[in-house]
């Protein structure tokens, strides 16, 4: 993907880690609700924070997944687990900020996943799909492990559609020659779509 | 696998896509029964149509899975989802042709998976197993996501045994020096065994 | 991992196969309890015996998983399935030896998985995690397929903690320059911790 500058790739890496932290915290919150022990917190945080990226990198088959080669990924996931374990993230404040974290994490991951897929030379359709897989994959694996039907199939909160919006916008703007604009518009577009769908209760 | 001519590899690719279409339609039918939205149709069609091949190619680790590099795989799966979404595939006609589609898809996929495993230089035992994984993998993942115990473990319809018959026949005839005969006999043998087991209610 | 001699790698391979056999038998025992047919026995034995290693090797992305390239892995898993199918492994004798097999298999696998992760050049944290994934991965996949919440999240028997103890000890002693000591201490430390936790009903 010649249109991607080094700065954009670096920004994508930072977005990736931000998504790891927020999703690891979300995984830890689920672990608290399930009354898991510390190992359960760490496991759910790692699955939630690294699962989508591990699935993407395993499918891309361009070397060992970055979640294993770059130590900051596991460390960030464990920091998220520790935060969720130490701080009872619930109540009015949590309910007020949770949807915003959730939406931003979804947008950043979909965009990061689509960017990485394009960067190894795959086409638009796999980029859109693997962007969405990056965004919803970790959560879906967590739900399967906890014996829930993955919410990507529906339910009271939309996940898959905003993720497809985010990765779709990124791929489109990439093809139009605006990769950096795509990162911003894709992330905010996906996050905005998700907040709107939650607010309007689609 | 020096015994495999280019024509056989090409035929195997065509069989692969035929299996994608029929299994994607089957995934869409399940999505209709579960009352999923269009994204759910597409997701189940992609999982059902591409899941087995993705698992096989990920395990083989010989480059990015063909389902991601060749755009026709995703397109074919989405065509299957669209067909199942637009046409209410049920009733007497569907019940009459469903077992035939199901059986042929199982046979073609088992044969395609075993062929690909042999072509990257692996032995007979992995080829038989990965042929069966190709054939039943997508359906098994779909069942796990929908919280069903995968029917490969038993139930009212045999899946794993006919798949093993198909991939086993292919590997045997390959070893005897008849790869093209193996494609035909494996596919029809597996499909026939499955139709017979359904008819006799094994 | 320059500190690892050829003898240690070879010993690690032998431990790996011992774990395959014992876990395949455990998978077959579960298949008997679920009243599966022979294909179900073989499938559960392969998943239980090879699942953890397949996940590890797929994530490491250093070539086709050894469970597929070395025929002894599948053969050993099928021998385990046959033993469990032919011999009714239950009753007082089984209840007496089961915890010991279970604990030794867990320790050997965690140590083998961490060793392999270090040997491809990854760091301490991924080695500890992938060691534990090797040890508990196959059992977790088996539990998900049978619609149980994986016992790594808690329950009446500890699995994840002893596996982390085993892989942690191996990585620590490796870093201190004692890889061979690490293999023995890691295996026995993890197995001992698990037997202790079972005995004391932690």
């Amino acid at each position: 993907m010649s249109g991607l500058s080094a700065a954009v790739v670096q920004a994508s890496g930072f977005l990736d880690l931000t998504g790891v932290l927020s999703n690891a915290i979300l995984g830890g919150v689920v672990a608290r609700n399930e009354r898991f022990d510390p190992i359960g917190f760490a496991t759910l945080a790692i699955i939630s924070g690294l699962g989508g990226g591990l699935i993407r990198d395993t499918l891309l088959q361009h070397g060992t997944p970055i979640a294993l080669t770059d130590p900051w990924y596991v460390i960030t996931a464990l920091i998220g687990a520790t935060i969720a374990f130490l701080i009872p993230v619930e109540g009015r404040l949590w309910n007020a900020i949770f949807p915003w974290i959730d939406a931003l994490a979804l947008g950043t991951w979909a965009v990061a996943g689509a960017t990485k897929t394009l960067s190894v030379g795959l086409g638009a359709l796999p980029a859109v799909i693997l962007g969405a897989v990056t965004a919803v994959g970790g959560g879906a694996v967590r739900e399967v492990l906890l014996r829930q039907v993955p919410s990507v199939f529906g339910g009271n909160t939309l996940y898959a559609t905003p993720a497809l919006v985010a990765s779709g916008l990124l791929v489109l703007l990439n093809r139009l020659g605006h990769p950096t604009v795509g990162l911003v518009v894709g992330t905010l577009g996906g996050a905005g779509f998700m907040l709107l769908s939650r607010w309007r209760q689609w």
Side-chain angles (χ1 to χ4, degrees), chain A:
Chain A
M1 206 50 206
S2 57
L4 287 176
S5 67
V8 171
V9 169
Q10 201 178 2
S12 165
F14 179 75
L15 288 177
D16 219 20
L17 275 181
T18 310
V20 170
L21 182 66
S22 54
N23 276 281
I25 295 175
L26 295 179
V29 170
V30 173
R32 179 185 298 278
N33 290 338
E34 300 271 342
R35 301 177 180 279
F36 285 160
D37 61 11
I39 300 287
F41 268 75
T43 306
L44 271 195
I46 285 175
I47 288 169
S48 305
L50 307 180
L54 283 173
I55 296 173
R56 176 200 62 211
D57 288 350
T58 303
L59 287 176
L60 288 180
Q61 299 217 17
H62 273 72
T64 310
I66 191 168
L68 295 174
T69 55
D70 180 341
W72 282 106
Y73 279 78
V74 173
I75 291 170
T76 303
L78 293 177
I79 289 172
T82 308
I83 291 173
F85 186 75
L86 294 179
I87 305 168
V89 275
E90 52 195 336
R92 204 178 299 176
L93 183 64
W94 173 251
N95 290 335
I97 61 169
F98 168 87
W100 295 83
I101 297 179
D102 205 23
L104 257 180
L106 185 106
T108 53
W109 266 7
V111 159
T115 301
K116 184 151 188 180
T117 306
L118 290 177
S119 75
V120 303
L122 289 181
L125 212 46
V128 172
I129 291 174
L130 286 185
V133 166
T134 305
V136 305
V141 171
R142 184 188 65 223
E143 292 170 320
V144 168
L145 290 178
L146 300 177
R147 287 196 298 185
Q148 301 159 353
V149 170
S151 48
V152 293
F153 292 127
N156 53 355
T157 310
L158 286 176
Y159 277 95
T161 309
L164 290 169
V165 167
S167 57
L169 283 171
L170 178 112
V171 170
L172 181 68
L173 285 160
N174 238 289
R175 285 293 148 98
L176 295 174
H178 303 293
T180 315
V181 176
L183 276 180
V184 178
V185 171
T187 303
L188 297 183
F193 188 96
M194 188 166 168
L195 287 168
L196 197 66
S197 75
R198 201 187 282 267
W199 179 51
R200 298 296 298 265
Q201 306 204 321
W202 283 342

